[in-house]
Amino acid sequence: MSVIRLKGQADRRLRAGHQWIYSNEVDTSATPLKQFTPGDQVVVETAQGKALGVATINPNTLICGRLISRSTDTVLNKSTLVHRLKIALSLRDMTYAAPYYRLVFGDSDGLSGLVVDRFADILVVQISTAGMERVKNEIIEALQDVVKPTAILMKNDGKMRQIEGLDTYVEEAFGTVPELVYLQENDVLFQAPVWDGQKTGWFYDHRENRKTMQNYCDGKRVLDVFSYVGGWGVQAASAGATDVTFIDASESALSHVDANLKLNQYEGDANLMHGDAFEAMQSLIEDKERFDVVVMDPPAFIARRKDIKAGEGAYHRANQLAMRLVAKGGILVTGSCSMHLETARLHDIVRSNSRQLERFSQLIYRGTQAPDHPVHPAIEETEYLKALFYRIHNNMGL
């Protein structure tokens, strides 16, 4: 294999456990990046010429290298994929009784650029790097060997592919994948639109947080903002909520909410509000509506570091509107999937809103991503999900 050589001290982060190589860390005078083709596998060397392992390379991106192995004897091929898929599967098997989970979570499973969600015997695969795209056929074969699915959908339409210079497409790689697949989460049934839905069609990462939310829903009125297909609200309904309101900008998503309520034979009241979430919440406030549980789980308002200021403003406004809709003594669940928004900052946003609205808030639960989204201890980017639960009172003179 060809070699890329790092600048002096640029190996320190890799030695500490990280797996990414930035283009400004490569000694391009010794090993010009332009000589490589996206997806090539290379030996990574320190400035002194000592081998650190093997990485896939993309000379056109800021993260130009992704470490595959710390041994030069291991490359990214079917054998390596099978081995790591078996390790990933063993974690999920020891954690979940039913085959509904994220099977592969990129770097955290030693497979940077690969995500696989499992819906029983159907797999939805997302490839986001040139290195993984190069071994796409091997990935499909390895999944067939390890999981033995009846069908595999390649949902390769994410934004990261554009950064990597890859085409976007959604296609069956094996078998026949229906428009809707079924799953079970916390003993609740759902249908997920894997072809046309967001990401893989479902978000398994909030599983444990939704389970905790169910404890507060029996006999209550619940509001699910940015509901998508009803992951939070339908589980609230199944936990005994008497009245659930869903807000989403997608009519298609709300049609799936309705189907998922019927799938679980919900007999309470359901209100599906189509439109901008901020405008819908303002309308509910003007109508003097109040809810015992309000769930605020928006899309990532902070996609990149340069979006932090504007994104924090959006989180502040969204949480302020949500807090105004919480009934006295009710629960506010606020979530964020923005890696660049730290948990402490989200907590501070809620604190600030509490003071502005003269509410007394009590943090009662801190949640993070489910075990099928494991955190790599050296890669902070793999720890992205937050869910904070607050009990909200009118000002008690404090």
Side-chain angles (χ1 to χ4, degrees), residues 99-100 117-122 124 181-183 192 194 200 202 204:
Y100 306 103
D117 276 358
R118 185 175 186 181
F119 303 92
D121 56 357
I122 295 174
V124 180
V181 301
Y182 292 89
L183 68 122
V194 292
T200 63
W202 181 254
Y204 282 120

Side-chain angles (χ1 to χ4, degrees), residues 315-316 319-320 323 332 334 343-363 388 390 392 398:
Y315 280 110
H316 183 91
N319 278 280
Q320 185 176 94
M323 189 176 291
L332 171 65
T334 182
T343 302
R345 184 67 187 111
L346 180 58
H347 179 59
D348 193 54
I349 286 170
V350 175
R351 177 204 58 77
S352 175
N353 279 317
S354 296
R355 298 311 313 134
Q356 289 181 22
L357 297 175
E358 296 187 341
R359 302 289 196 273
F360 181 75
S361 61
Q362 300 166 299
L363 177 63
L388 303 179
Y390 297 86
I392 307 296
L398 293 172

Side-chain angles (χ1 to χ4, degrees), residues 15 33 154 278:
R15 291 185 183 280
L33 284 172
M154 306 302 292
F278 293 90

Side-chain angles (χ1 to χ4, degrees), residues 153-275:
L153 180 69
M154 306 302 292
K155 188 74 181 294
N156 290 333
D157 57 355
K159 294 178 181 178
M160 275 296 297
R161 289 182 64 87
Q162 298 173 21
I163 296 172
E164 290 274 323
L166 300 172
D167 293 335
T168 58
Y169 59 91
V170 179
E171 65 182 24
E172 290 166 329
F174 167 71
T176 301
V177 180
E179 291 293 323
L180 300 171
V181 301
Y182 292 89
L183 68 122
Q184 180 177 323
E185 182 179 289
N186 300 325
D187 298 323
V188 183
L189 301 176
F190 290 92
Q191 64 177 36
V194 292
W195 282 85
D196 302 322
Q198 298 177 24
K199 301 295 180 68
T200 63
W202 181 254
F203 297 92
Y204 282 120
D205 51 3
H206 268 303
R207 181 197 311 256
E208 303 301 326
N209 303 320
R210 291 173 180 143
K211 184 177 182 179
T212 299
M213 174 213 58
Q214 289 181 309
N215 296 328
Y216 303 101
C217 294
D218 189 24
K220 305 298 185 180
R221 296 192 75 210
V222 177
L223 173 63
D224 183 359
V225 187
F226 300 103
S227 67
Y228 184 43
V229 298
W232 291 90
V234 173
Q235 293 195 41
S238 295
T242 57
D243 181 316
V244 187
T245 296
F246 301 83
I247 299 174
D248 202 86
S250 167
E251 284 189 282
S252 175
L254 290 174
S255 71
H256 293 302
V257 169
D258 185 54
N260 285 325
L261 288 169
K262 291 176 180 175
L263 194 62
N264 291 278
Q265 300 178 342
Y266 180 57
E267 296 180 351
D269 294 328
N271 179 24
L272 309 181
M273 296 185 67
H274 172 236

